[in-house]
Amino acid sequence: GVFSFAWIIDFPAFDWNEDENRWDSLHHPFTAPIAEHMDWVATRPGEVISDAYDLVCNGSELGGGSIRIHDPKVQSEVFRALGLTDEQARSKFGFLLDALSYGTPPHGGIAFGLDRIVMMLAGTDAIRDVIAFPKTTAASCLMTEAPSPVDDAQLQELSIRLRN
């Protein structure tokens, strides 16, 4: 078959959350804004474009990723734009802020969905045709009959309590 590839770029960095009256990260809170929008995070978050990208083939996403924030000041501004106080950001992500303070170089990543790539190469429209142990829409496995019951001793060992 014919394969038509495209890079999808220029995603918004933030999405307004009506229910919580605050901004959410569209990709994740570690995605860098494009260079031209670095100064907009605090004042114009709804207009900030992220340095994120998806690779699409024949209309299906094969992979996606982003350039990560490497400047601790920008990372702190993004956390503030998301409604986190400096104390909350330090509590949740102090390890990252510390790492960035040592001079992290610009870096990025991408993750490919190998199952989707194999699906396209196999010429099928059903991803379950190429997954070794496909799950149902209820996340159960017909082959292994998972999930299976767990006894109380296993739950206690893992400090898990079931709620009904």
Side-chain angles (χ1 to χ4, degrees):
V2 175
F3 297 107
S4 296
F5 292 90
W7 284 102
I8 309 300
I9 59 169
D10 294 340
F11 293 100
F14 302 101
D15 186 39
W16 182 250
N17 183 329
E18 293 271 342
D19 296 334
E20 298 190 26
N21 199 32
R22 65 175 175 83
W23 292 103
D24 286 335
S25 293
L26 195 65
H27 191 64
H28 58 64
F30 316 110
T31 301
I34 61 171
E36 298 85 359
H37 294 183
M38 289 284 185
D39 295 334
W40 295 5
V41 174
T43 57
R44 298 160 59 184
E47 298 176 44
V48 175
I49 299 298
S50 67
D51 205 348
Y53 35 82
D54 283 350
L55 179 63
V56 173
C57 181
N58 297 353
S60 291
E61 179 187 338
L62 298 184
S66 66
I67 300 299
R68 308 303 195 266
I69 296 170
H70 64 277
D71 180 334
K73 283 200 286 190
V74 173
Q75 186 64 75
S76 291
E77 285 182 21
V78 167
F79 288 153
R80 272 187 234 106
L82 297 173
L84 292 175
T85 65
D86 289 342
E87 294 76 29
Q88 290 170 321
R90 169 88 12 223
S91 172
K92 291 181 179 192
F93 304 110
F95 65 93
L96 175 67
L97 295 169
D98 290 343
L100 294 178
S101 73
Y102 295 119
T104 308
H107 58 287
I110 190 165
F112 290 102
L114 293 178
D115 45 6
R116 288 191 186 171
I117 295 170
V118 171
M119 178 188 82
M120 294 185 108
L121 293 173
T124 181
D125 291 330
I127 202 162
R128 290 185 181 164
D129 291 345
V130 300
I131 296 175
F133 301 102
K135 308 292 182 260
T136 67
T137 55
S140 65
C141 178
L142 302 176
M143 179 182 235
T144 63
E145 298 178 357
S148 60
V150 178
D151 64 45
D152 288 334
Q154 289 173 304
L155 292 172
Q156 281 183 331
E157 179 183 342
L158 299 171
S159 299
I160 295 175
R161 180 175 46 127
L162 298 180
R163 294 179 7 184
N164 293 334

